[in-house]
Amino acid sequence: QVQLVESGGGLVQPGGSLRLSCAASGTIFSIDTMGWYREAPGKQRDFVAAHTDGNTRYADSVKGRFSISRDNLENMMNLQMNSLKPEDTAVYYCYGIIRTTLGGPPNNYWGQGTQVTVSS
């Protein structure tokens, strides 16, 4: 069993910053990828950022403003969000592509989500 738990969401004014964290726990052999999606009201869940083997990817809408980092020893990941805009308002979901056994297949796991609201 694998659990992903997000923290760090909240209310921030436009132009402000927030730092989201995600902690993975449980039966983990290795983590291939950790990343973030977000879901705004009435919209589909969209990709935000991902970290795989030291490489990072970002959605065009957040490039230059968001930064993803991982602590592999602690199975944790952070998303530093700067210059936040009202359109960044969404529930942010942490995900991981995780192997629970040596040689086993990777599976996708999701956190419960954390609300980020950007408003004056």
Side-chain angles (χ1 to χ4, degrees), residues 42-56:
K43 296 187 177 182
Q44 66 181 17
R45 190 174 295 189
D46 289 330
F47 170 78
V48 175
H51 190 296
T52 305
D53 292 334
N55 297 310
T56 57

Side-chain angles (χ1 to χ4, degrees), residues 38-100:
R38 66 186 181 186
E39 187 171 326
K43 296 187 177 182
Q44 66 181 17
R45 190 174 295 189
D46 289 330
F47 170 78
V48 175
H51 190 296
T52 305
D53 292 334
N55 297 310
T56 57
R57 294 181 294 120
Y58 298 93
D60 288 343
S61 59
V62 306
K63 280 181 181 177
R65 300 188 298 123
F66 291 11
S67 178
I68 189 171
S69 60
R70 274 177 63 178
D71 182 338
N72 292 327
L73 292 179
E74 298 293 335
N75 289 334
M76 290 193 65
M77 171 183 62
N78 297 306
L79 184 69
Q80 179 66 41
M81 305 185 295
N82 299 326
S83 302
L84 283 161
K85 306 174 181 179
E87 51 263 44
D88 294 316
T89 295
V91 177
Y92 284 69
Y93 294 91
C94 166
Y95 79 96
I97 302 175
I98 298 172
R99 301 174 191 267
T100 57

